[in-house]
Amino acid sequence: AIDSEQVRQLIAGGESLTVEFKGEERDVLSDRDVCENVVCLANGDGGVLLIGVENDGRVTGARPRHGSSTNPHRLESLIANRTVPRIMTRASLHEID
């Protein structure tokens, strides 16, 4: 699993073919958008999708996906159930300064 320090390093390194930032400053990222981004990463060499990070690297935060919070296991299930073949992911929540 990835830890908060690794997340900070990924943000500092910027976007690449294996690191994608998706901010929610303007609009909430839909379930469909999350799945599409995961599929794009999976079609390459895999990678990390950081929700709540703008393209310029600013951390603006992710909105709760399940009521007042986000359940990483529900997010993993969503992605697995909406992709064919199923894409198995690991989701985690991190607080960044």
Side-chain angles (χ1 to χ4, degrees):
I2 191 169
D3 64 31
S4 295
E5 183 54 37
Q6 290 169 310
V7 171
R8 284 185 189 87
Q9 291 173 3
L10 289 170
I11 294 168
E15 288 189 295
S16 67
L17 293 175
T18 58
V19 177
E20 180 70 21
F21 298 162
K22 285 296 169 187
E24 292 191 307
E25 190 171 52
R26 289 188 210 120
D27 296 311
V28 176
L29 199 60
S30 71
D31 290 348
R32 178 184 173 98
D33 292 335
V34 170
C35 291
E36 284 181 4
N37 280 276
V38 168
V39 167
C40 288
L41 287 167
N43 281 336
D45 293 327
V48 177
L49 173 63
L50 297 175
I51 299 173
V53 180
E54 304 301 319
N55 287 341
D56 62 6
R58 287 180 300 120
V59 177
T60 54
R63 292 182 174 89
R65 302 194 74 77
H66 309 110
S68 61
S69 64
T70 297
N71 181 322
H73 299 295
R74 285 181 65 184
L75 191 55
E76 293 167 351
S77 294
L78 168 87
I79 295 164
N81 290 328
R82 292 202 181 174
T83 54
V84 177
R86 285 180 185 236
I87 298 174
M88 305 311 291
T89 60
R90 287 183 305 228
S92 56
L93 302 175
H94 298 275
E95 286 192 35
I96 305 296
D97 310 324

